[in-house]
Amino acid sequence: MNSFESNRKYIENEFQEAVWDQNTGLSPEQLSLGLQAFQNSDSKEPRPIICAKAYAYLLDNVQLQINEHTLFSVKMNIGVDYSAFAGRDIYDKELFQKQRHRILSRELPEDYSRMMESASAGVGAVWVDFWHTVPNWSFLLENGFSGILEKAKESGKKVPEQSRRVFLDSVVIRFEAILRFIKRVYEYSLHFDVPEFSAALLNLTVAPPQTLYEVMLFSVLYLYFEELGCERARTLGSIDRLYLPFALRDLENGKDIDEIKDLFRYFFIHFTASKRYAEQPFTLGGCDSDGKDCTNMLSRLILDIYDELSIYDPKIHIRYHKNIDKALFRKALSMIRSGHNSICILNDEAVFAGYEKLDIPREDASDYVVLGCYEPIIMGKEEGEIGVAWINAAKFIEFALNGGKDIQSGKQIGAQTKTNFDCFEDFLSTYLSQMDYAVDFAVDFAEKQSAYNTEINPSPIYSASFPECIERGLDVHEYPLKYNNMGIKLFGLGTVVDSLVAIKKLVFDEGRLSTEKFRDILAQNWVGYEDLRQEVLSDKDKFGNGLPLPDSILTAITAHIEEKYTGKRLAHSRRLRIGLDSVNECIRQGARTAATPDGRRAGDSVSKNLCATLGMDRGGITAYMQSILKINSAAFLNSAILDFTLHPSAVEGEKGLDDFCSLIKIFFSQCGFAVQGNVVSSETLQAALNEPQKYATLQVRVCGWNEYFVKMSREKQELFIKRSEERRV
């Protein structure tokens, strides 16, 4: 094989530009018809068996392509559109989406209808979170595909209950199909010049991975296999720790460090090419339960290779603690400063404190990895279902003003509450009751859905990564793990706080408006009241500036959430995890939300994550940090991220990097939860807008992921320019 640099151009777009070998299987259209037959079958077989047979049919008949320029040579044609990012595959469309709608319409029609109406009004949807998964990578790498198959067969002989044998039979059917698929790919690969790939495939049919390359190939293949459908393995785990024994063994057996580096280059560029939605995470660093640093030679090597590649997918989660390897920490911040910033840093102490709120000891919490955007999960011990609902907290301002009715449609979506208030505290109490009404419904509906988990989405591939599931014959979504939790997000708090400040001042302190008048102004989208809107926008009391009034309102809201919901006990011994991030729901649900009292117009985005409203954090990053630190981050294990935008001049040179390191250390020393951000000037962004060909690799941090600036929509580009201008530090 040629050098990585000469091969790279043949890899980066290989999924988007794939040319499938039609002689290797059926087209996605043909496969879809076959899957529809399984979905529409009147078979009396249990749903896990029907799905397992459909899965086997797909693997046995899918078209292939081999790319001779990469170590991860095979792809399969499952009907995914890669034009923007990897979209849904045909199994997801035919067997998951349709089945979920069928079950919920039949079994929970009233709740399902209510949820869909709330979602369309901008409150947010509620689904059992099958999407965010964290396989037990340690168990997988220890046993391999063939080892897990044998364990499932052995367990099937011992489990007495029929329902549990059904689960294990579904594991066997799927893993036998996996081994047939690998053997089929092996035989096909012999027609190409990929000897190392072919040899590794053959080894993986009979044994767990033995070399670093086999570990990487196994991981890529496992993602292919688990993710046929709606699931996404949202972390590769702590790859510096997981992969170290294999790398050391390779070095002992004659490989040199440059060969190890090349393996990581091919591994990382595979994820770049596969265009995974919100990118593929992995974790580095962290400490053990005694506070000892777990950084090793691979931690630093991985950062160096990643920095060299100038990519943003996969993305990196780094675990910070007071004894962190200084070189690793400094390297990570140097990368963020240089624009290679697909990095989020979490604070171990804040995470441990969050787990203590759930009665989970540090001895277990110290094994956490980070999945998705910024959510901790204890790999091998916890099923988190971290994204059951993203709830738009700004919508409840509208409901509080209008008795629970949607201003734009007039429909009763929220609780029926009064519209006349004696004082600001009375209004705030009504706002919180509207929030409770939505959160209580979300929790209740998610719990009701969970009764049908194995009918909606049996998960034998993911479940088989846990020995408890195999030993007990239970799907992971029947909650057999040591810790089983559920996560809900509340977002838009910057919009909420600024709106409540405006209501307090204009209605209750100054008496210039009644709540009815304010509601009418918002119903008119501020038209005819631009002077008042500008007055509201220019008011100094905005969240994100460390000021007493907005911060006191923020802490009143977050304290209420903590008291009522953090760690709430649920069915199946689960506990409720709360997060305060939005991902892109701030845009999606903002588009369905009426104008708000902070001056925001109808349809505009509500505030992102825990960010201030755009342009309102006028006091700089230290004042913004002061506002965030008013929150008890331990109550928000499901994420309480600080997003920053710094001007390059603030962190330039060695002194600037020293200052950057000190700033983050101070934030974490006060139990700040996590940080991510951009170091970029408006001048650079404007130049990229005008001459995109010169800035092809310019990255910006969007939410929990990165994008190339020149490939973003014009609207997003202009938003980032505006943000950088208003946050110059």
Side-chain angles (χ1 to χ4, degrees):
M1 183 178 286
N2 294 328
S3 69
F4 172 78
E5 281 308 315
S6 63
N7 281 323
R8 181 171 180 170
K9 62 186 176 183
Y10 299 105
I11 305 171
E12 288 181 309
N13 298 306
E14 64 168 322
F15 282 80
Q16 190 171 347
E17 299 173 356
V19 179
W20 305 103
D21 185 344
Q22 296 182 14
N23 295 318
T24 57
L26 303 177
S27 69
E29 294 75 20
Q30 292 170 311
L31 289 171
S32 289
L33 292 175
L35 294 176
Q36 288 170 23
F38 284 100
Q39 174 64 17
N40 298 327
S41 169
D42 57 2
S43 170
K44 301 303 180 185
E45 289 183 302
R47 182 69 183 178
I49 299 300
I50 293 173
C51 288
K53 290 181 177 180
Y55 180 94
Y57 162 79
L58 184 55
L59 278 190
D60 287 342
N61 293 283
V62 68
Q63 291 175 350
L64 308 174
Q65 188 202 29
I66 295 286
N67 182 354
E68 293 180 311
H69 297 278
T70 176
L71 294 171
F72 307 97
S73 302
V74 72
K75 298 182 292 297
M76 52 184 177
N77 188 10
I78 50 176
V80 172
D81 178 6
Y82 292 100
S83 56
F85 53 81
R88 297 186 184 278
D89 64 54
I90 52 177
Y91 187 97
D92 185 349
K93 296 172 185 175
E94 299 298 343
L95 274 89
F96 172 69
Q97 299 289 334
K98 292 178 180 179
Q99 179 71 357
R100 182 172 67 178
H101 176 71
R102 174 192 289 176
I103 294 294
L104 297 183
S105 298
R106 185 184 71 205
E107 303 295 340
L108 302 168
E110 292 182 6
D111 287 332
Y112 186 35
S113 176
R114 175 180 166 184
M115 186 274 288
M116 296 300 289
E117 187 171 52
S118 294
S120 66
V123 176
V126 182
W127 309 107
V128 170
D129 186 6
F130 300 113
W131 197 76
H132 291 90
T133 74
V134 180
N136 185 350
W137 288 105
S138 298
F139 184 74
L140 287 169
L141 297 179
E142 179 185 342
N143 290 278
F145 298 119
S146 58
I148 289 173
L149 175 61
E150 290 308 310
K151 285 182 179 295
K153 288 180 176 179
E154 285 300 311
S155 186
K157 298 174 184 177
K158 304 172 185 176
V159 174
E161 297 94 334
Q162 174 63 21
S163 63
R164 300 191 180 200
R165 288 199 299 273
V166 165
F167 165 75
L168 291 166
D169 287 346
S170 74
V171 173
V172 169
I173 292 169
R174 293 203 190 210
F175 274 82
E176 286 179 341
I178 284 170
L179 291 176
R180 287 197 304 273
F181 176 84
I182 296 174
K183 290 173 184 176
R184 180 160 75 98
V185 174
Y186 164 73
E187 292 169 359
Y188 183 52
S189 73
L190 298 177
H191 300 284
F192 300 86
D193 184 19
V194 287
E196 191 173 2
F197 174 69
S198 300
L201 285 175
L202 196 58
N203 291 342
L204 291 177
T205 62
V206 295
Q210 302 297 311
T211 66
L212 180 59
Y213 171 51
E214 288 182 3
V215 164
M216 292 175 172
L217 180 58
F218 176 92
S219 300
V220 167
L221 291 172
Y222 180 84
L223 294 186
Y224 283 172
F225 299 142
E226 191 211 324
E227 295 180 354
L228 275 176
C230 68
E231 298 170 14
R232 294 294 178 270
R234 294 298 292 140
T235 180
L236 294 168
S238 294
I239 64 172
D240 50 352
R241 301 193 218 180
L242 283 167
Y243 295 3
L244 181 63
F246 300 93
L248 293 176
R249 185 186 305 163
D250 281 359
L251 292 171
E252 290 172 3
N253 291 335
K255 277 193 179 293
D256 61 40
I257 198 68
D258 287 334
E259 291 176 289
I260 299 295
K261 290 179 178 179
D262 241 17
L263 287 175
F264 278 104
R265 291 184 181 103
Y266 281 106
F267 189 51
F268 290 159
I269 211 70
H270 165 82
F271 293 105
T272 301
S274 60
K275 304 181 75 169
R276 296 173 65 77
Y277 181 78
E279 287 120 42
Q280 177 61 49
F282 63 82
T283 302
L284 298 177
C287 67
D288 63 17
S289 59
D290 295 322
K292 182 181 177 181
D293 182 50
C294 295
T295 301
N296 60 49
M297 59 165 279
L298 282 189
S299 312
R300 295 179 285 271
L301 180 149
I302 286 167
L303 279 190
D304 287 340
I305 294 301
Y306 192 92
D307 193 20
E308 164 205 306
L309 291 174
S310 188
I311 56 177
Y312 62 74
D313 189 2
K315 62 184 178 184
I316 304 174
H317 293 121
I318 293 178
R319 287 178 47 180
Y320 172 91
H321 57 99
K322 65 181 180 180
N323 298 318
I324 191 172
D325 180 86
K326 292 179 181 177
L328 184 79
F329 182 57
R330 193 174 180 86
K331 173 67 175 180
L333 291 186
S334 176
M335 289 170 64
I336 292 172
R337 181 179 68 169
S338 70
H340 296 171
N341 62 327
S342 194
I343 296 172
C344 178
I345 306 176
L346 275 78
N347 180 9
D348 277 359
E349 285 302 319
V351 171
F352 297 159
Y355 273 117
E356 286 168 7
K357 281 270 188 183
L358 304 181
D359 300 319
I360 295 175
R362 182 179 294 243
E363 289 72 24
D364 284 342
S366 61
D367 291 330
Y368 86 88
V369 297
V370 189
L371 81 154
C373 293
Y374 356 78
E375 296 88 356
I377 199 94
I378 305 172
M379 189 182 80
K381 296 177 181 177
E382 179 185 10
E383 171 53 39
E385 292 185 4
I386 58 98
V388 163
W390 270 265
I391 297 176
N392 177 10
K395 190 73 183 181
F396 310 131
I397 296 286
E398 179 181 335
F399 288 170
L401 285 168
N402 205 33
K405 291 182 179 179
D406 182 88
I407 284 179
Q408 294 172 318
S409 70
K411 292 181 178 179
Q412 186 74 44
I413 305 295
Q416 291 184 353
T417 51
K418 63 183 180 180
T419 56
N420 294 307
F421 308 95
D422 297 328
C423 58
F424 174 71
E425 290 70 24
D426 192 17
F427 183 85
L428 178 59
S429 177
T430 299
Y431 169 81
L432 293 174
S433 70
Q434 290 288 352
M435 176 188 289
D436 293 348
Y437 183 75
V439 175
D440 289 344
F441 170 72
V443 173
D444 180 65
F445 184 44
E447 290 222 272
K448 289 177 180 175
Q449 288 182 56
S450 69
Y452 305 98
N453 283 349
T454 58
E455 280 294 298
I456 293 171
N457 184 60
S459 304
I461 304 296
Y462 174 40
S463 301
S465 75
F466 301 100
E468 298 91 335
C469 292
I470 294 178
E471 290 163 7
R472 298 176 61 186
L474 291 173
D475 190 289
V476 69
H477 294 291
E478 294 176 290
Y479 310 114
L481 301 191
K482 186 174 184 179
Y483 306 115
N484 300 281
N485 300 314
M486 177 199 295
I488 282 178
K489 315 281 193 163
L490 287 153
F491 65 89
L493 288 180
T495 301
V496 170
V497 169
D498 292 353
S499 294
L500 289 170
V501 167
I503 289 170
K504 183 178 187 302
K505 288 187 173 184
L506 293 173
V507 176
F508 298 103
D509 292 351
E510 301 169 12
R512 294 166 58 188
L513 297 174
S514 65
T515 51
E516 292 87 348
K517 181 62 177 177
F518 218 150
R519 180 190 62 214
D520 292 342
I521 290 171
L522 300 180
Q524 295 174 61
N525 200 19
W526 291 97
V527 173
Y529 297 91
E530 185 60 25
D531 288 346
L532 179 62
R533 177 173 175 272
Q534 290 302 321
E535 179 185 338
V536 169
L537 290 171
S538 62
D539 184 77
K540 70 178 181 63
D541 278 318
K542 301 294 184 186
F543 167 68
N545 296 285
L547 298 172
L549 176 57
D551 287 359
S552 67
I553 293 174
L554 173 73
T555 54
I557 295 170
T558 55
H560 172 85
I561 296 168
E562 176 182 357
E563 181 180 3
K564 183 154 188 179
Y565 295 110
T566 296
K568 180 177 179 176
R569 296 184 183 277
L570 309 172
H572 307 289
S573 300
R574 290 189 290 171
R575 306 290 291 276
L576 187 60
R577 298 171 38 143
I578 302 294
L580 301 176
D581 66 282
S582 63
V583 293
N584 56 4
E585 289 296 308
C586 58
I587 298 171
R588 184 180 305 165
Q589 303 304 341
R592 300 164 179 170
T593 301
T596 42
D598 62 334
R600 175 189 150 276
R601 295 191 188 279
D604 287 351
S605 174
V606 301
S607 57
K608 181 182 81 169
N609 291 347
L610 271 175
C611 294
T613 301
L614 184 61
M616 295 298 119
D617 49 340
R618 300 157 178 154
I621 190 169
T622 54
Y624 173 42
M625 283 183 170
Q626 289 171 26
S627 289
I628 298 295
L629 289 170
K630 301 284 175 45
I631 299 169
N632 178 15
S633 65
F636 301 100
L637 180 65
N638 226 33
S639 84
I641 186 82
L642 180 140
D643 293 83
F644 62 81
T645 300
L646 296 173
H647 192 276
S649 63
V651 292
E652 66 184 350
E654 286 302 303
K655 182 181 183 305
L657 187 56
D658 289 341
D659 292 343
F660 196 9
C661 292
S662 296
L663 181 72
I664 304 305
K665 286 180 179 179
I666 290 169
F667 180 69
F668 285 153
S669 71
Q670 298 178 53
C671 215
F673 182 81
V675 298
Q676 65 177 11
N678 294 290
V679 178
V680 65
S681 69
S682 58
E683 294 85 0
T684 297
L685 295 175
Q686 191 63 56
L689 193 65
N690 296 333
E691 297 182 281
Q693 69 280 3
K694 294 183 179 180
Y695 296 87
T697 60
L698 175 63
Q699 302 175 27
V700 290
R701 192 75 173 163
V702 178
C703 197
W705 59 86
N706 279 33
E707 294 183 23
Y708 287 124
F709 181 78
V710 298
K711 293 185 178 180
M712 294 166 63
S713 69
R714 182 78 179 201
E715 180 183 6
K716 280 187 179 181
Q717 290 174 329
E718 291 174 349
L719 183 65
F720 263 89
I721 292 173
K722 182 179 180 183
R723 182 174 293 139
S724 66
E725 288 172 343
E726 293 175 335
R727 289 188 179 175
R728 179 165 179 150
V729 178

